[in-house]
Amino acid sequence: MQKTEIIGLSKEELSLFLEEMGEKPYRVKQLWQWLYFKGVRSFDDMTNLSKDLRLKLDEKFVLTRPKIVTEQVSKDKTHKWLLEFSDGERVETVYIPELDRGAVCISTQVGCAMGCKFCHTGSQKLTRNLTAGEIVSQFMVARDAYGEWPSPTNETRYLSNIVVMGMGEPLQNKENVIKALNILSDGDGIAISRRRITMSTCGIVPEINSVLEQTGVRLAISLHAPTDEIRTELMPINKVYNIAQILRACQTYQQKDGSRYITFEYLMLDGINDSSDHAQELVRILKNNKIRATFNLIPFNPWPGCEFKPSKPENIKKFADILNKAGFACPVRVARGQDILAACGQLKSKKQG
């Protein structure tokens, strides 16, 4: 009999399995806490479960982590793992530390079908979606590495945030992403606040609001251009879902809750999208559509074979000043992990052919 991977099952699914095994409903919460609060890696470690139940769990389920193929730590302490799943497929996961906290950047697909010209991942064709368990287990690997499972001697929480902006387009893997985010934010387990989880999408418009309503996480849009002409050149998906459609979806999202802000990710590309006129056009379209937003300006991170160059620092400053003066908070992201190809847009799990 083929065993079922237990990481990634919902509470409802666990309940059905345990019911079939003749166990009481309260066992679900016990099991959940061992898996996602304590982070144990063996059923034998679940000491408040009977030996008989532990044996039955071991016969029914596997409890695994992805294999760590390689891991690298940047000079700025950014940490990147190349992880391999049971079928041999691989993704990259990155931890980006700050002074007293940090974000784990997790992937949702092996490769990506979006084909954004500035993105290294996009040069690796989509192989498959990740399962909910494979998405969740990336964060668990990071917790393992930093010893952040609760214990009498450790209550630190440097892995404080999750950003779903690694490899792949989350909204092309909707069901597994919803399931994974609800596991990661469940208060009985890993318990990352939904307000500390941000899902980034290039704009699969029909799915944006349904996923956000089912998860409660924050929204980031990979915009990268103020006009359809430029965005279509950079991001082929814009031929299907253009800027006007994306902004309408943002309006719908914000109409339901006045506190909801949207982050627009904006990659600064020299001579492409970084002029003062481009910044003014961004201000115009957001104000016309009454979108409450912050911008995250990202200096371009070159990768082998790319055709783009980073914007000049003085141009980035002028761009940011225009947005700030118009009332849009506009931090410029400090590039992290460039020396290990762990920065935004640099992730790729297969060697250049």
Side-chain angles (χ1 to χ4, degrees):
M1 181 184 71
Q2 185 172 1
K3 295 184 181 182
T4 300
E5 174 58 66
I6 198 167
I7 299 297
L9 295 179
S10 67
K11 281 181 173 174
E12 293 74 20
E13 288 168 327
L14 275 178
S15 180
L16 288 173
F17 276 117
L18 289 172
E19 186 180 338
E20 289 173 4
M21 295 162 67
E23 295 295 327
K24 300 293 185 185
Y26 74 88
R27 292 294 189 192
V28 174
K29 187 170 182 178
Q30 286 182 316
L31 189 52
W32 191 269
Q33 289 184 328
W34 281 116
L35 294 171
Y36 299 119
F37 183 70
K38 296 289 188 182
V40 300
R41 302 178 68 168
S42 168
F43 295 115
D44 288 336
D45 295 331
M46 299 179 179
T47 51
N48 67 343
L49 304 184
S50 69
K51 186 174 181 180
D52 180 59
L53 175 53
R54 282 180 272 164
L55 286 171
K56 287 196 286 185
L57 290 170
D58 193 50
E59 289 170 0
K60 185 79 173 177
F61 299 109
V62 290
L63 168 53
T64 60
R65 298 283 198 272
K67 175 185 174 184
I68 298 174
V69 180
T70 60
E71 58 182 308
Q72 298 169 278
V73 179
S74 166
K75 59 189 177 185
D76 64 21
K77 306 302 182 185
T78 297
H79 196 151
K80 182 172 79 168
W81 296 267
L82 176 62
L83 304 178
E84 183 176 284
F85 301 110
S86 58
D87 64 352
E89 294 294 348
R90 299 175 175 185
V91 299
E92 290 186 323
T93 302
V94 177
Y95 170 58
I96 306 164
E98 303 295 341
L99 284 176
D100 59 349
R101 59 187 176 84
V104 180
C105 181
I106 59 179
S107 298
T108 56
Q109 296 179 307
V110 181
C112 185
M114 294 296 96
C116 300
K117 291 185 180 178
F118 49 76
C119 183
H120 200 199
T121 307
S123 65
Q124 176 185 330
K125 299 304 180 186
L126 177 66
T127 301
R128 67 169 175 85
N129 288 331
L130 297 187
T131 66
E134 290 167 341
I135 296 169
V136 171
S137 64
Q138 294 172 64
F139 186 79
M140 299 175 81
V141 165
R143 269 210 172 162
D144 291 342
Y146 287 88
E148 286 208 1
W149 299 105
S151 73
T153 59
N154 178 31
E155 290 299 325
T156 59
R157 282 294 178 275
Y158 290 114
L159 280 64
S160 60
N161 292 58
I162 292 173
V163 287
V164 188
M165 52 181 79
M167 297 171 59
E169 165 51 54
L171 296 185
Q172 282 203 319
N173 188 13
K174 174 183 172 180
E175 298 305 323
N176 288 325
V177 167
I178 290 171
K179 191 174 175 185
L181 294 184
N182 286 330
I183 291 171
L184 288 164
S185 59
D186 187 283
D188 290 330
I190 290 171
I192 300 293
S193 165
R194 295 175 191 272
R195 290 184 172 271
R196 289 185 174 271
I197 301 175
T198 300
M199 184 195 69
S200 178
T201 174
C202 66
I204 311 296
V205 168
E207 307 295 355
I208 289 174
N209 279 284
S210 65
V211 171
L212 295 173
E213 291 304 316
Q214 291 178 73
T215 62
V217 302
R218 293 184 176 272
L219 172 65
I221 299 282
S222 294
L223 191 62
H224 307 310
T227 68
D228 283 327
E229 181 182 10
I230 298 171
R231 194 168 190 265
T232 299
E233 275 295 308
L234 297 174
M235 305 174 69
I237 190 64
N238 199 67
K239 297 173 186 175
V240 183
Y241 304 115
N242 63 25
I243 293 174
Q245 291 171 290
I246 290 170
L247 295 181
R248 281 198 294 274
C250 292
Q251 286 175 327
T252 300
Y253 172 63
Q254 294 190 322
Q255 283 166 0
K256 295 178 181 177
D257 184 343
S259 69
R260 290 174 172 175
Y261 267 70
I262 293 162
T263 299
F264 287 107
E265 307 283 349
Y266 197 95
L267 194 63
M268 300 296 292
L269 301 169
D270 185 43
I272 305 291
N273 63 354
D274 63 344
S275 72
S276 296
D277 286 345
H278 293 139
Q280 296 285 6
E281 179 61 13
L282 283 175
V283 170
R284 186 190 70 79
I285 62 174
L286 263 67
K287 285 191 176 292
N288 283 354
N289 287 277
K290 298 181 171 59
I291 304 294
R292 301 182 300 280
T294 59
F295 278 86
N296 195 354
L297 298 188
I298 309 167
F300 177 61
N301 303 301
W303 42 270
C306 68
E307 59 185 278
F308 300 107
K309 294 180 181 178
S311 296
K312 298 177 178 63
E314 58 268 27
N315 289 344
I316 296 176
K317 184 179 184 305
K318 287 179 187 175
F319 200 99
D321 286 345
I322 291 169
L323 291 172
N324 278 314
K325 286 175 184 174
F328 297 103
C330 188
V332 178
R333 185 186 294 178
V334 177
R336 304 291 298 273
Q338 285 182 300
D339 54 317
I340 59 170
L341 289 183
C344 183
Q346 291 185 317
L347 302 188
K348 187 174 181 182
S349 65
K350 293 182 179 176
K351 294 180 180 178
Q352 295 283 107

